[in-house]
Amino acid sequence: MYKHKNKRVKGGASTNKGTMSKPVNVYSISQVSQVLNENLPGVLGRLGYTETFELVDQKLLIGYSIALVAAVSFFIDKRFVHDDIVHYQQVLVGAYIVLSVVFWYFKKYVEKAVVYTGKTQNGESTVKISTCYEEGKPQYTVTITDKEKKRVESKLEINTVFTAEGYLQTDLFLEWVKQQLATLANKKQ
């Protein structure tokens, strides 16, 4: 049972900042990808980035708008006579369709596979990180984009940041992410 950094865990192993307390199946690229995605905010936090939720906020706004249109449609359908509200319902159905298409477009082309957006404390650097993987290949593909739309796409070999037992070595992952950010910074110049 994990308690604190550098303390004993069940089974006698010690933990530190550099490893995860729970192993994953390194032969399952989807599990590995999920663990790496979940650790990105912590790793980037150690590098001075703060996670922002602009894409999530925009997606929620579109989703709540769709729900509001549906609720208004339901309300006026129950409250008024059908012949009096046909035109209003047509407008609401049209709005629902348009908002649903906007939501689909946002998910497919704007949000894509973005798992992290963040900026430094001083706002000088902003990054958007998207990830993907191919089933059966032990590679985690990371694309880092800055606010000037410059990009770095890199493939991380899974065995470089995971032990054979499936423990994530966060210090190695941190160093790899730091190298990718440095490559992006050098690309700007």
Side-chain angles (χ1 to χ4, degrees):
M1 171 193 282
Y2 181 70
K3 290 189 178 183
H4 296 289
K5 293 183 257 177
N6 298 322
K7 297 281 183 178
R8 290 278 200 212
V9 293
K10 190 175 185 180
S14 67
T15 63
N16 61 33
K17 221 178 195 179
T19 59
M20 221 176 117
S21 65
K22 182 179 170 191
V24 296
N25 179 1
V26 291
Y27 298 105
S28 171
I29 189 67
S30 62
Q31 280 184 4
V32 167
S33 179
Q34 180 180 355
V35 166
L36 291 172
N37 289 347
E38 289 172 354
N39 279 279
L40 271 174
V43 165
L44 287 158
R46 287 173 57 189
L47 294 173
Y49 285 85
T50 303
E51 189 169 8
T52 60
F53 298 96
E54 295 163 355
L55 291 176
V56 173
D57 292 343
Q58 292 169 1
K59 187 170 63 170
L60 283 172
L61 179 66
I62 297 167
Y64 285 141
S65 299
I66 291 170
L68 181 65
V69 167
V72 168
S73 176
F74 177 78
F75 176 75
I76 67 170
D77 191 45
K78 294 296 180 190
R79 198 81 157 132
F80 301 102
V81 179
H82 177 71
D83 292 338
D84 296 341
I85 59 166
V86 170
H87 296 295
Y88 296 111
Q89 287 290 26
Q90 289 171 341
V91 170
L92 288 170
V93 168
Y96 185 87
I97 291 169
V98 168
L99 286 170
S100 294
V101 169
V102 167
F103 188 76
W104 169 82
Y105 180 85
F106 184 84
K107 291 276 295 170
K108 183 147 179 97
Y109 296 108
V110 176
E111 189 179 47
K112 297 180 195 170
V114 174
V115 295
Y116 181 87
T117 54
K119 60 183 177 181
T120 54
Q121 297 293 337
N122 59 9
E124 184 178 304
S125 179
T126 302
V127 294
K128 186 185 298 184
I129 299 178
S130 38
T131 62
C132 64
Y133 61 88
E134 285 183 50
E135 205 56 58
K137 289 189 177 182
Q139 294 178 335
Y140 177 70
T141 304
V142 176
T143 305
I144 304 174
T145 309
D146 67 4
K147 61 183 170 187
E148 286 89 29
K149 304 291 184 204
K150 293 196 171 110
R151 305 170 21 140
V152 170
E153 184 173 308
S154 303
K155 293 187 185 298
L156 171 64
E157 296 289 330
I158 300 306
N159 61 354
T160 59
V161 294
F162 280 92
T163 64
E165 295 82 24
Y167 290 96
L168 174 64
Q169 300 174 78
T170 55
D171 288 338
L172 294 176
F173 186 45
L174 173 97
E175 288 303 316
W176 185 83
V177 171
K178 190 188 290 186
Q179 287 175 344
Q180 305 317 308
L181 290 171
T183 302
L184 182 65
N186 290 337
K187 197 173 187 179
K188 288 181 184 181
Q189 299 168 350

